[in-house]
């Protein structure tokens, strides 16, 4: 099938809830993608952050191929070798105190589990999330998500959620009540515009949660697995949450969600109080085991720090050159470029020139490339953006 045929078929038969780009992708390798007509793209979308180790990593392919003829389904009421190995691996990789996981299939599911767990453990009901937060689109996770466009059509959502100002400890204190079970937060807001918190904020939040006896629930679904230049972003501030939500890059591109907690917290669930058919699936676990090994062996966390610093430096130079760029921010290879206007034309211009870029809101370009992205790719992205910004700035000046 050529691109045109694929797009027609998908438009006809697949739900049209996604704001589609007009390309049909059929192949990926490292930080590159190819469409059905053979055109190559540099991938700065990176599966929204779910292929940190690069597309189609050979180690993950081998692990899946080795698992396939053995076993593809193993419900969690039965024990599984690859699941047992994964449990230990993820506990070793995450901060020490976190050592017991619930396995699911997506980010939103990891958040749903975290919220049920917080309620069960504290015997309280209220969750404090942040303005501009994104935690997914299911029941509790949508209630925690901020954006009216995602929420409004489905209200009433869960009434036990409030939203404080991200990075503002007083704003969180203001909404704590005797019914508060936990605070749910991203280390750097992704969808909300690539917003890092001010220095010291997460340490203050950890202390606040300790003082008030409420749970600190961290959503590292986008920031985890090396993305920000640490294996998990919370390591930047030496804070350990009570519950950590993971998904996206955990299994090298295969769907998987993980809710990992302190043992006494996870043990608050009694038998049968949570569960999912496919969670801890053997193929996902085999892929995850290989993927986590690749992250460590290829030192991709360090690479994210180095390449991220290089990318950010170049983007900051563009900011000095063009007035239409308001801000460049982020950590490691999670970078946002805030423009003074809608970023749509830049996204389309980049697409034409073979670069896939994500947005975060109306006017922020978001870069989440695989951590294996090469310096020459970054240079090409920068040169292309330089041209696009120049055109846009000329248009903007005319207005
Ligand atoms: C993507 C994302 C989610 C939701 O994950 P899904 O797998 O799409 O359900 C939740 N939280 C954050 C921070 C995310 O980036």
């Amino acid at each position: 099938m050529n691109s045109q045929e694929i797009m027609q078929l998908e438009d006809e038969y697949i739900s049209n809830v996604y704001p589609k780009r007009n390309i049909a992708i059929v192949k990926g390798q490292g930080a590159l993608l190819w469409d059905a007509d053979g055109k190559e793209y540099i991938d700065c979308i990176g599966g929204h952050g779910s292929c940190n180790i690069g597309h189609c990593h050979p180690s993950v392919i081998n692990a899946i191929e080795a698992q396939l003829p053995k076993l593809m389904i193993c419900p969690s009421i039965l024990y599984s070798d690859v699941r047992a190995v994964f449990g230990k691996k993820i506990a070793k990789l995450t901060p020490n105190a976190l050592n017991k996981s619930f396995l699911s299939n997506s980010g939103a599911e990891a958040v749903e589990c975290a919220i049920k767990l917080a309620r069960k453990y504290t015997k309280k009901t209220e969750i404090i999330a942040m303005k501009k937060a994104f935690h997914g689109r299911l029941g509790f996770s949508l209630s925690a998500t901020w954006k009216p466009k995602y929420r409004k059509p489905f209200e009433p959502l869960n009434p036990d959620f409030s939203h404080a100002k991200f990075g503002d400890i007083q704003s969180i204190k203001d909404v704590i009540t005797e019914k508060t079970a936990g605070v749910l937060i991203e280390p750097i807001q992704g969808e909300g515009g690539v917003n890092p918190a001010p220095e010291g904020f997460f340490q203050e939040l950890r202390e606040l949660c300790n003082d008030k006896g409420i749970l600190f629930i961290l959503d590292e679904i986008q920031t985890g697995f090396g993305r920000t230049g640490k294996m998990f972003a919370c390591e930047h501030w030496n804070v350990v949450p009570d519950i950590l939500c993971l998904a996206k890059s955990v299994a090298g591109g295969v769907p998987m969600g993980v809710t990992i907690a302190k043992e006494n917290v996870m043990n608050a669930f009694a038998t049968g109080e949570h569960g999912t058919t496919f969670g801890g699936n053997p193929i996902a676990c085999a892929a995850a085991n290989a993927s986590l090994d690749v992250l460590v062996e290829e030192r991709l966390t360090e690479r994210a720090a180095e390449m991220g610093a290089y990318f950010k430096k170049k983007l900051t130079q563009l900011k000095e050159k063009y007035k239409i760029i308001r801000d460049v921010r982020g950590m490691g290879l999670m970078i946002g470029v805030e423009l003074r206007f809608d970023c749509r034309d830049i996204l389309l211009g980049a697409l034409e020139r073979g670069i896939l870029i994500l947005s975060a809101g109306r006017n922020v370009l978001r870069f989440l490339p695989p951590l294996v992205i090469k310096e020459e790719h970054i240079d090409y992205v920068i040169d292309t953006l330089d041209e696009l910004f120049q055109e846009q700035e000329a248009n903007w000046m005319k207005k």
Side-chain angles (χ1 to χ4, degrees), residues 119 125-127 140 143 151 156-162:
R119 284 185 158 197
T125 54
E126 290 179 0
I127 300 290
F140 285 140
S143 302
R151 298 171 57 91
L157 293 170
N158 193 293
D160 279 353
F161 283 72
S162 56

Side-chain angles (χ1 to χ4, degrees), residues 226-229 300-316 328-335 367 369-371 373 378 382:
R227 172 59 56 191
T228 68
L300 294 181
T301 299
E302 291 82 350
R303 197 184 159 80
E306 282 160 31
M307 286 295 133
Y310 179 74
F311 204 168
K312 202 167 155 189
K313 185 185 82 187
K314 295 275 175 176
L315 288 167
T316 305
V328 174
R329 55 183 180 250
M331 293 173 102
L333 278 171
M334 178 173 187
I335 305 176
F367 298 87
L371 310 183
I373 190 168
I378 293 176
I382 291 292

Side-chain angles (χ1 to χ4, degrees), residues 142-219:
L142 182 59
S143 302
T145 290
W146 169 253
K147 206 173 179 177
K149 183 181 158 82
Y150 300 157
R151 298 171 57 91
K152 270 266 165 333
F154 308 101
E155 284 176 348
L157 293 170
N158 193 293
D160 279 353
F161 283 72
S162 56
H163 290 85
K165 187 159 175 248
F166 182 75
D168 179 346
I169 205 77
Q170 187 56 46
S171 162
I172 296 173
K173 284 181 185 163
D174 289 345
V175 288
I176 291 179
T177 73
E178 67 279 15
K179 285 193 279 175
T180 303
V183 174
L184 171 63
I185 191 164
E186 299 153 270
I188 299 174
Q189 292 187 319
E191 283 260 332
V194 190
N195 309 316
E199 204 49 54
F201 168 74
F202 279 101
Q203 290 92 335
E204 282 182 330
L205 179 58
R206 178 66 273 186
E207 278 173 33
L208 178 66
C209 291
N210 289 349
D211 290 349
K212 301 281 180 186
I214 60 183
L215 295 180
F216 176 10
I217 309 164
L218 195 62
D219 177 347

Side-chain angles (χ1 to χ4, degrees), residues 202-310:
F202 279 101
Q203 290 92 335
E204 282 182 330
L205 179 58
R206 178 66 273 186
E207 278 173 33
L208 178 66
C209 291
N210 289 349
D211 290 349
K212 301 281 180 186
I214 60 183
L215 295 180
F216 176 10
I217 309 164
L218 195 62
D219 177 347
E220 291 231 29
I221 290 166
Q222 195 165 130
T223 53
F225 303 106
R227 172 59 56 191
T228 68
K230 297 278 186 191
M231 187 56 78
F232 299 100
C234 61
E235 295 168 28
H236 286 291
W237 313 291
N238 278 315
V239 295
V240 179
D242 301 296
I243 307 177
L244 179 64
C245 301
L246 302 171
K248 293 208 162 106
S249 270
V250 60
V254 173
M256 186 179 211
V258 180
T259 310
I260 186 164
K262 294 177 176 169
E263 189 171 358
N264 61 325
V265 176
M266 188 55 82
N267 287 345
F269 274 152
T271 304
E273 284 180 346
H274 198 52
T276 166
T277 303
F278 279 123
N281 170 274
I283 302 167
C285 287
N289 289 339
S291 178
L292 299 184
D293 288 348
V294 167
L295 267 175
V296 174
E297 281 158 18
E298 295 187 9
R299 298 173 50 80
L300 294 181
T301 299
E302 291 82 350
R303 197 184 159 80
E306 282 160 31
M307 286 295 133
Y310 179 74

Side-chain angles (χ1 to χ4, degrees), residues 40 48 170 326:
E40 183 180 291
H48 296 226
Q170 187 56 46
R326 188 182 277 152

